[in-house]
Amino acid sequence: MSMHIDIAEKEPKMNMVMHNKIQDLDIISTMPDGVISHIMNFLITKQAVQTCILSKRWKDLWKSLPTFKISREHFGSAEQFKKFVSKVLQNREESSLHSVVVEHQGYTPSNILSKMTNIALSKKVEKFIVGTFLRDQKSNMLPFHSIFFLRSLKCLDLTFHTNGSTKVKLPETIYLPELVECHLRDVAITSSGGNDCVNPFIESKKLITLVMDHCELIGDAKMVFISGDNLASVTIRFREFDGNFFKFQISAPNLKAFNFVGYLASKNNQIFEHNLEFIEVSSITAYSTLYSPEDLDILKNWFKRISNVRSLILSSMVLKCVSSFTNFPNIESSGFGNLKSLTVILQKGVPITCLYSIIMDYLLQDSPHAEIIQGGEYTSEFSIVFS
């Protein structure tokens, strides 16, 4: 009994000694530089640079990190942001760079854009994500042209905002054979040589996810062709006030997700080259209440092509279009036999009509047990990504 008591009394003291020893041990200092750099790579660049004050050993570790990741929101002013970016790019060591990620809700000087692009090219980065405002100056457009020929690139995300009509121009064909994910916003697709159709992604055979936000088509072509056996997700969004609604056609037999925002236009009646056997999610948002019988045929055609969809998201304007089908509701079934959920997104000025229950019955007649979800108000930022 006394032996048991002695051990019990000593055990808390032993635990305390071990705890103090663990606290005294600087585990991070015993790690190799490579391991520390790997941990630091999860930090934003500003935080990584701040570690230089810890000790002499940490002074230069940030200079060789494979990721350059920075956002304007981490700085008190735009001037601080610009100075920091310029200084960091200037002081980076000649080492490998995997990713460039920059988000700036303001104007970025062309010399900084050029530095970011040049370092991405020289290091053959795999990820290039830039979001910024651009002025109507050609000098702001030129730095990005070479990015569309960076053969190492796997992820390209360009989000631009301009105060005029000038846009970053996409070449007629981009040579990005390793590209897997692509998101383009406010980019102009160019065409020349009298071609009626342009296929900018024809060389990107590995492309899985494509998002085209508010893009324009300029030149001779009238249609953008999007093709790829690996394409799993395609999102196309137009602005409500944008008049450049180009025709597009999709050849992607393995597509799993399709998201569309814009006006229904009869020129896109034959958007799908194949019926989509593997489609899982589709979202369709329509803008205008002004539509012709030909425009209404678009929905019928699209519904047939995506009839295997499991999750369908429709805006209230689309429901209104459905109610305008000739001879509705005594028309052929939409055929959504695999549907598990139908989500309705409300649009301002487009209330759910008294025909709502009839429309639901029509859409769900082949899947009566599907869940009906009342979504919130429409947001143009909805998209689905598959990898």
Side-chain angles (χ1 to χ4, degrees), residues 275-280 303-311 335-339:
N275 287 337
L276 304 181
E277 302 295 333
F278 304 104
I279 191 78
E280 295 179 8
F303 285 170
K304 288 179 182 178
R305 297 302 181 105
I306 65 173
S307 59
N308 287 325
V309 70
R310 296 181 181 180
S311 176
F336 297 121
N338 296 323
L339 199 62

Side-chain angles (χ1 to χ4, degrees), residues 2-157:
S2 61
M3 177 72 71
H4 176 75
I5 293 174
D6 290 343
I7 294 175
E9 289 175 348
K10 290 179 180 180
E11 190 172 6
K13 295 179 180 180
M14 292 173 63
N15 289 339
M16 183 64 71
V17 172
M18 290 297 294
H19 177 71
N20 290 336
K21 285 184 176 181
I22 291 175
Q23 280 191 324
D24 293 338
L25 182 62
D26 185 356
I27 299 176
I28 294 181
S29 295
T30 64
M31 294 179 178
D33 286 355
V35 175
I36 295 177
S37 294
H38 178 74
I39 295 173
M40 289 174 63
N41 199 47
F42 291 97
L43 302 175
I44 61 174
T45 299
K46 183 181 180 182
Q47 293 171 334
V49 172
Q50 289 171 336
T51 63
C52 69
I53 66 173
L54 297 178
S55 69
K56 290 183 178 179
R57 184 190 179 192
W58 290 75
K59 181 180 178 182
D60 297 319
L61 287 179
W62 66 269
K63 296 181 180 180
S64 59
L65 293 180
T67 296
F68 176 76
K69 182 168 55 178
I70 195 166
S71 174
R72 163 69 177 85
E73 66 181 16
H74 299 119
F75 295 85
S77 68
E79 190 62 30
Q80 290 177 356
F81 169 83
K82 295 169 187 176
K83 287 182 178 180
F84 182 85
V85 172
S86 182
K87 192 169 184 178
V88 167
L89 291 176
Q90 182 178 349
N91 288 280
R92 272 193 59 89
E93 292 180 351
E94 290 295 323
S95 58
S96 62
L97 184 66
H98 176 274
S99 305
V100 173
V101 181
V102 178
E103 178 59 39
H104 179 40
Q105 295 296 326
Y107 295 110
T108 304
S110 58
N111 64 321
I112 292 182
L113 294 177
S114 294
K115 286 180 181 179
M116 289 190 298
T117 304
N118 289 336
I119 194 172
L121 292 170
S122 64
K123 302 306 178 185
K124 298 180 180 180
V125 301
E126 296 183 2
K127 179 186 290 186
F128 189 79
I129 301 175
V130 174
T132 186
F133 279 74
L134 296 178
R135 298 186 187 277
D136 287 348
Q137 299 173 355
K138 290 185 178 180
S139 58
N140 280 41
M141 310 300 154
L142 293 177
F144 295 101
H145 184 76
S146 52
I147 284 295
F148 301 119
F149 299 89
L150 180 54
R151 300 180 69 86
S152 61
L153 210 57
K154 294 182 179 180
C155 175
L156 176 64
D157 189 332

Side-chain angles (χ1 to χ4, degrees), residues 300 322 325-334 362 365:
K300 294 180 183 179
V322 170
F325 286 170
T326 303
N327 297 324
F328 178 83
N330 301 314
I331 55 177
E332 183 182 357
S333 165
S334 297
Y362 165 72
Q365 58 187 294

Side-chain angles (χ1 to χ4, degrees), residues 185 212-214 235-241 245 259-263 283-288 313-318 343-350 352 374-383:
R185 181 187 178 94
M212 296 174 64
D213 262 339
H214 316 322
T235 297
I236 299 175
R237 288 190 282 255
F238 293 104
R239 287 191 183 93
E240 187 170 2
F241 55 84
F245 300 105
N259 180 32
F260 173 81
V261 177
Y263 288 94
S283 170
I284 302 173
T285 297
Y287 285 140
S288 179
I313 303 168
L314 302 176
S315 70
S316 50
M317 179 61 72
V318 173
T343 302
V344 177
I345 304 298
L346 301 180
Q347 290 170 280
K348 290 183 178 180
V350 190
I352 298 297
Q374 298 293 341
E377 288 193 354
Y378 156 74
T379 170
S380 63
E381 296 306 315
F382 174 82
S383 61

Side-chain angles (χ1 to χ4, degrees), residues 29 135 139 168 170 200 222 225 227 230 243 264 277 287 337-338:
S29 295
R135 298 186 187 277
S139 58
V168 171
L170 194 74
K222 304 300 180 183
F225 189 61
S227 63
N230 289 313
L264 297 177
E277 302 295 333
Y287 285 140
N338 296 323

